[in-house]
Amino acid sequence: MRITNSLMSQSFLSNLNKNSKNVFRYQEQLSSLKQVNRPSDDPLKVSKILDLKNELKQNAQYKTTISDAIDFINVQDSALASATNSLQRISALTQQAANGTYNAQDRQAIKTEIENEVESMLDSLNTNFGGRYIFGGQKSTEKPFTINREDGNFAIEYSGIDDEINGNVSKEIARGVNVDLQTDGKRLFNQQTDENGVIQNISTVFNELFEALDNNDTEALGGKILKQIESEMDNTVNTRTNIGAIQNRLTAAKDRNEAEYLNLETTLSTNQDIDLAETYMHYSMEMVAYQASMNMGTRILQTNIMDYVR
């Protein structure tokens, strides 16, 4: 094979261009601290990096949802604790009113205190958190519990949702995993049918309580009504227990979410970030090769190289 000046110049320019590209690649990696800076660098790796970034964004959204749900449940638990205290006080006052030594005036004073406790309990259940009523069901922007005193009756009304519809709000805390927040306030009514087939709930219980106080019916106060109030307390405690179980599940989900986030960050860093020491070593080697190519070119071709570059 005959080696000509033209062949030597072409080979030199090809090697110089190759070394220049390598130097540029490592310079770019060192300046950006990224293994790839454009899809053409490594299409497969770029695709994997984009998928990991999307996973991280979704993970962050789930984390926000879980944190909001935990805060929401904490407020629910506090409200139910206050409602339970009110029911306990109402139970104690009912026991006092059932005492035969109390007169009609004493029972009217007890009735006034019980009415205040009922209003306090409803104030707790009407707690608003972040613009949403915590037991508002599907109508979270409307005040759920109100008192209706028309026609001399005492009635607690719930406006959250109809009885036939589940008023709980579902939250997605992971891909394919949903948790129902106990926002259905009608469950706090503890609606049930007694032995006579009569529908009873917390509203009818209080209405019968006030009628018994007005009529000085100590037998009803110390018997049926007191048992109904205790049933309402049990229902409230059970609801609080269910909310506590959901809180534990959300706390566990938050821990898993944080662990998954760390794993995704580690995987992303492995695929995206450079090993600084290794990359700088490669850069130094390529720079030596580039400088050697320049030096050898000027020695072999000298000044007449420009004649072949034209």
Side-chain angles (χ1 to χ4, degrees):
M1 179 179 178
R2 184 168 175 263
I3 305 300
T4 63
N5 287 339
S6 176
L7 181 60
M8 291 176 62
S9 63
Q10 289 176 4
S11 177
F12 162 72
L13 290 175
S14 176
N15 291 329
L16 182 64
N17 184 53
K18 178 182 177 182
N19 293 335
S20 177
K21 285 183 177 179
N22 290 337
V23 170
F24 175 75
R25 177 160 61 92
Y26 287 115
Q27 277 183 336
E28 194 172 36
Q29 288 181 357
L30 287 170
S31 61
S32 65
L33 299 179
K34 305 297 181 186
Q35 295 183 35
V36 291
N37 292 281
R38 58 186 63 83
S40 59
D41 291 342
D42 190 335
L44 184 60
K45 183 168 288 187
V46 169
S47 176
K48 188 173 184 179
I49 289 172
L50 291 175
D51 289 340
L52 287 169
K53 287 184 176 180
N54 288 333
E55 288 288 335
L56 282 168
K57 288 181 180 179
Q58 193 169 42
N59 179 276
Q61 291 176 350
Y62 288 139
K63 182 179 181 180
T64 300
T65 300
I66 293 171
S67 297
D68 288 345
I70 290 176
D71 292 339
F72 188 83
I73 281 181
N74 287 336
V75 175
Q76 284 187 315
D77 182 72
S78 178
L80 288 176
S82 179
T84 302
N85 291 336
S86 295
L87 285 170
Q88 289 173 342
R89 180 57 182 164
I90 291 171
S91 176
L93 290 171
T94 302
Q95 289 179 349
Q96 291 181 15
N99 193 323
T101 60
Y102 282 76
N103 56 35
Q105 185 176 358
D106 294 332
R107 293 190 178 90
Q108 287 303 307
I110 290 175
K111 178 182 177 182
T112 300
E113 187 174 352
I114 290 177
E115 287 179 340
N116 289 330
E117 285 295 340
V118 172
E119 291 179 357
S120 177
M121 181 187 72
L122 294 185
D123 288 340
S124 299
L125 299 180
N126 282 330
T127 298
N128 187 296
F129 176 74
R132 298 173 295 171
Y133 286 99
I134 59 175
F135 294 110
Q138 299 292 344
K139 299 179 181 179
S140 59
T141 58
E142 299 179 14
K143 188 176 181 179
F145 295 98
T146 55
I147 296 176
N148 187 348
R149 289 188 171 89
E150 294 181 0
D151 300 328
N153 293 323
F154 182 94
I156 299 175
E157 297 177 351
Y158 179 70
S159 60
I161 204 69
D162 296 332
D163 291 339
E164 298 179 356
I165 301 176
N166 183 359
N168 292 332
V169 174
S170 181
K171 295 289 185 180
E172 186 176 12
I173 60 174
R175 186 178 286 106
V177 179
N178 293 278
V179 170
D180 287 342
L181 301 184
Q182 302 298 300
T183 58
D184 193 349
K186 68 176 181 288
R187 294 188 176 184
L188 296 171
F189 267 57
N190 191 26
Q191 186 162 302
Q192 51 190 317
T193 304
D194 63 14
E195 61 275 7
N196 298 321
V198 179
I199 296 177
Q200 296 284 338
N201 56 41
I202 194 170
S203 179
T204 58
V205 169
F206 286 135
N207 193 50
E208 291 178 4
L209 170 60
F210 294 140
E211 287 183 359
L213 288 170
D214 290 337
N215 297 327
N216 294 309
D217 189 347
T218 57
E219 182 179 352
L221 289 170
K224 175 184 176 182
I225 294 176
L226 187 60
K227 289 181 179 179
Q228 289 174 335
I229 294 174
E230 291 175 352
S231 176
E232 299 303 330
M233 279 195 295
D234 291 340
N235 180 65
T236 303
V237 171
N238 290 337
T239 303
R240 190 180 178 189
T241 300
N242 291 335
I243 288 176
I246 295 173
Q247 184 180 34
N248 292 336
R249 182 180 177 186
L250 288 171
T251 301
K254 185 177 181 181
D255 292 338
R256 289 194 300 271
N257 177 274
E258 292 175 349
E260 182 182 357
Y261 181 84
L262 291 176
N263 291 333
L264 288 171
E265 280 281 10
T266 301
T267 305
L268 178 63
S269 177
T270 301
N271 286 274
Q272 178 177 257
D273 300 337
I274 64 170
D275 184 322
L276 189 58
E278 182 181 0
T279 304
Y280 186 78
M281 179 188 68
H282 287 306
Y283 166 74
S284 299
M285 293 173 61
E286 293 296 338
M287 180 59 74
V288 170
Y290 174 73
Q291 291 174 345
S293 297
M294 292 289 291
N295 291 334
M296 291 305 297
T298 56
R299 290 182 181 182
I300 294 174
L301 301 180
Q302 298 181 356
T303 56
N304 63 1
I305 186 176
M306 297 305 296
D307 297 333
Y308 301 95
V309 174
R310 294 193 185 103

